[in-house]
C-alpha cells in the first residue's frame, strides 16, 4: 500500500483527509479539528485545500439555505467521530 503523507507533523495521509471530507468536512479548519493536520507548521494547508477542491460543500449549502441547526448537528457529529487509526508499516 502506497501512503501519501499530507501532514508529516501528525502523520496524516491524503486518504484520511479524503475520508473526513467524505464525512462532511469541507474546509482546512474542519480537517484540522478532526486530525490536527495544519495546526503545527502549517505547510500542509495548501495541499489540504487542493484535496478539498472548490467543489460543493454540503455545510456551506445548508448555511445558505438557513439551516444552521443542521450544520451544528453535523459539526458535533464530525467532532465526536473517532480519528482514523494510523497503522505502522512492518
Amino acid at each position: 500500500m502506497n501512503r501519501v503523507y499530507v501532514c508529516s507533523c501528525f502523520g496524516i495521509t491524503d486518504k484520511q483527509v479524503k475520508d473526513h471530507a467524505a464525512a462532511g468536512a469541507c474546509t482546512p479548519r474542519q480537517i484540522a479539528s478532526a486530525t490536527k493536520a495544519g495546526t503545527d507548521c502549517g505547510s500542509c494547508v495548501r495541499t489540504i485545500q487542493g484535496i478539498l477542491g472548490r467543489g460543493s460543500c454540503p455545510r456551506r449549502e445548508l448555511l445558505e439555505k438557513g439551516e444552521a441547526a443542521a450544520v451544528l448537528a453535523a459539526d458535533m457529529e464530525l467532532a465526536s467521530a473517532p480519528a482514523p487509526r494510523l497503522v505502522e508499516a512492518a
Side-chain angles (χ1 to χ4, degrees):
M1 180 166 76
N2 204 7
R3 293 192 185 137
V4 177
Y5 286 94
V6 171
C7 175
S8 56
C9 296
F10 294 104
I12 304 303
T13 65
D14 61 336
K15 182 182 180 325
Q16 289 172 293
V17 172
K18 290 174 185 175
D19 289 346
H20 284 289
C26 54
T27 66
R29 183 171 287 174
Q30 291 172 327
I31 296 295
S33 293
T35 66
K36 293 188 179 181
T39 62
D40 194 27
C41 77
S43 66
C44 61
V45 173
R46 288 187 185 236
T47 303
I48 292 169
Q49 288 172 329
I51 292 171
L52 296 175
R54 298 198 184 271
S56 67
C57 177
R59 185 177 190 276
R60 188 179 316 115
E61 291 167 6
L62 286 171
L63 284 172
E64 288 171 356
K65 291 179 186 176
E67 298 180 25
V71 172
L72 290 173
D75 285 351
M76 295 287 282
E77 186 175 315
L78 184 62
S80 66
R85 286 187 56 221
L86 296 178
V87 179
E88 295 285 328

